[in-house]
Amino acid sequence: MDFELSEEQRLLKDAVDGLLSDGYSFTRRKKYMNEAGGWSKDIWRCLAEQGLLGLPFAEVDGGFGVGAVETMIVMDALGKALVLEPYLATVVISGGFLRHGGSAAQRAEHIPPIIDGRKSFAFAQLEQDSRYDLHDVTTSARKRGQSWVIEGKKFVVINGESADTLVVTARTKGAQRDMSGIGVFLVPANVKGITKKAYPTQDGLRAADITFTDVDVGAYAAIGDPDNALLLIERVVDEARTALCAEAVGAMDESLKITVEYLKTREQFGAPIGSFQSLRHRIADMFIALEQARSMSMFATLAVDFDDAAERAKAVAAAKMQTDMSGKFIGQQSIQLHGGIGMTMDTKIGHYFKRLTMIGNTFGDTGYHLRRVSESSVLV
């Protein structure tokens, strides 16, 4: 794919790469994992000071009004550095709901503290039996007077432990798997009736299972139409999938570089193992898988703003499928080429594989997106 960055985009790439290469070593990452909430408030502040938290928001809301390509650039860099901070949950997902569906009052209240780093958000969507179906919702939102009251439970809410505000999907009417009757609500994380069970995930992030018991969120908590928000949810989640593809490409790119360097230094039979032809073939296969994922990530980035929701969904599903396949292959090969040391917690390569595995199971795994592609008759 012929894809060239503009001068401004190249400057952005250099800036974010430089920031993370200076402040996000593997040793520091392990330190950040032990901070409150599992990520560094100082790094979050640095991202805000560099303007990275305000990139996708409109200028009228205090942002820079840039597009999906800039998000791709940032997510690629976050993937290379294995960043723990909740950029995806706060800026891409929660910010996406505010950009596409938020009222002027909601944008004015919530976007400025995102941009300046004062608040982080979490997306509470996954339920016990919902798998990857965004319309499978049992958490309820009912009217009590003028207020909305939330009841239910959400699982594996990334950044749910430390988020200031939760973006929650809830059913306002209909049966569990109806396409209509689903709303999206802004819920303060410290409001009465919320209980959390926090835990680390396999890739070093932190998540929480969150229970909502008679949670009163006021009259103006709904983002958009509280009875017909599924199209909004699908659009924002497609943007999140596209961002995850870019993050995965960054992680794969760095995994390949680390593995190549290891093969140059590890010796066996008196020679670097990188000189063995069979291992060179492995590296070539890994490079091909990386470039396949990179091309599809770029394709999804260009397609995510399509007005036609069906065409956008097809492109994003194809990209997520290829990215997940490439991530699994590159991760497995990287571990095997490192040998036993690749399985240890003190070796960086294993952490990349864990993150790639988690990305592969976020908002749909390979089989799920393969079905989406097949059902839409998309050629990949």
Side-chain angles (χ1 to χ4, degrees), residues 254-320:
E254 197 66 18
S255 295
L256 180 57
K257 289 177 182 176
I258 292 172
T259 303
V260 169
E261 288 303 312
Y262 181 76
L263 296 187
K264 289 179 180 178
T265 57
R266 174 75 166 90
E267 291 191 1
Q268 195 170 18
F269 307 115
I273 61 176
S275 64
F276 302 156
Q277 188 176 36
S278 61
L279 300 190
R280 290 187 175 189
H281 290 168
R282 295 258 202 116
I283 292 297
D285 290 340
M286 291 168 68
F287 178 77
I288 291 170
L290 169 61
E291 291 307 306
Q292 288 174 324
R294 193 191 309 277
S295 293
M296 291 303 292
S297 173
M298 292 175 179
F299 173 53
T301 298
L302 296 177
V304 77
D305 290 328
F306 284 176
D307 292 329
D308 188 324
E311 289 299 316
R312 180 192 68 233
K314 293 175 189 178
V316 173
K320 185 69 163 58

Side-chain angles (χ1 to χ4, degrees), residues 198-218:
Y199 48 88
T201 55
Q202 288 295 319
D203 54 353
L205 302 183
R206 290 192 65 82
D209 297 339
I210 304 179
T211 302
F212 301 85
T213 305
D214 199 38
V215 176
D216 189 324
V217 294

Side-chain angles (χ1 to χ4, degrees), residues 135-334:
H135 61 277
D136 192 323
V137 179
T138 60
T139 298
S140 66
R142 68 181 191 279
K143 274 297 189 81
R144 184 184 341 182
Q146 295 299 313
S147 293
W148 288 102
V149 178
I150 310 293
E151 289 269 358
K153 190 169 185 178
K154 300 291 187 176
F155 292 86
V156 199
V157 180
I158 300 299
N159 196 45
E161 176 185 11
S162 59
D164 300 286
T165 303
L166 306 172
V167 177
V168 183
T169 59
R171 183 166 293 284
T172 58
K173 62 181 182 181
Q176 176 177 341
R177 293 181 59 82
D178 285 355
M179 296 293 189
S180 61
I182 301 171
V184 181
F185 298 86
L186 290 161
V187 181
N190 59 355
V191 73
K192 181 181 177 181
I194 290 180
T195 57
K196 303 177 183 179
K197 178 185 177 182
Y199 48 88
T201 55
Q202 288 295 319
D203 54 353
L205 302 183
R206 290 192 65 82
D209 297 339
I210 304 179
T211 302
F212 301 85
T213 305
D214 199 38
V215 176
D216 189 324
V217 294
Y220 304 104
I223 300 177
D225 184 348
D227 293 332
N228 294 285
L230 184 58
L231 289 178
L232 172 63
I233 296 168
E234 289 175 340
R235 177 174 185 175
V236 173
V237 169
D238 273 343
E239 292 179 355
R241 289 167 175 148
T242 302
L244 284 169
C245 288
E247 182 186 353
V249 168
M252 283 184 264
D253 197 351
E254 197 66 18
S255 295
L256 180 57
K257 289 177 182 176
I258 292 172
T259 303
V260 169
E261 288 303 312
Y262 181 76
L263 296 187
K264 289 179 180 178
T265 57
R266 174 75 166 90
E267 291 191 1
Q268 195 170 18
F269 307 115
I273 61 176
S275 64
F276 302 156
Q277 188 176 36
S278 61
L279 300 190
R280 290 187 175 189
H281 290 168
R282 295 258 202 116
I283 292 297
D285 290 340
M286 291 168 68
F287 178 77
I288 291 170
L290 169 61
E291 291 307 306
Q292 288 174 324
R294 193 191 309 277
S295 293
M296 291 303 292
S297 173
M298 292 175 179
F299 173 53
T301 298
L302 296 177
V304 77
D305 290 328
F306 284 176
D307 292 329
D308 188 324
E311 289 299 316
R312 180 192 68 233
K314 293 175 189 178
V316 173
K320 185 69 163 58
M321 181 187 70
Q322 179 60 61
T323 302
D324 293 346
M325 290 170 59
S326 293
K328 181 178 181 179
F329 176 76
I330 290 174
Q332 289 177 336
Q333 295 299 313
S334 297

Side-chain angles (χ1 to χ4, degrees), residues 7-20:
E7 180 63 26
E8 291 80 7
Q9 290 164 347
R10 284 195 294 271
L11 290 173
L12 171 64
K13 185 179 187 307
D14 291 342
V16 66
D17 284 342
L19 172 66
L20 295 175

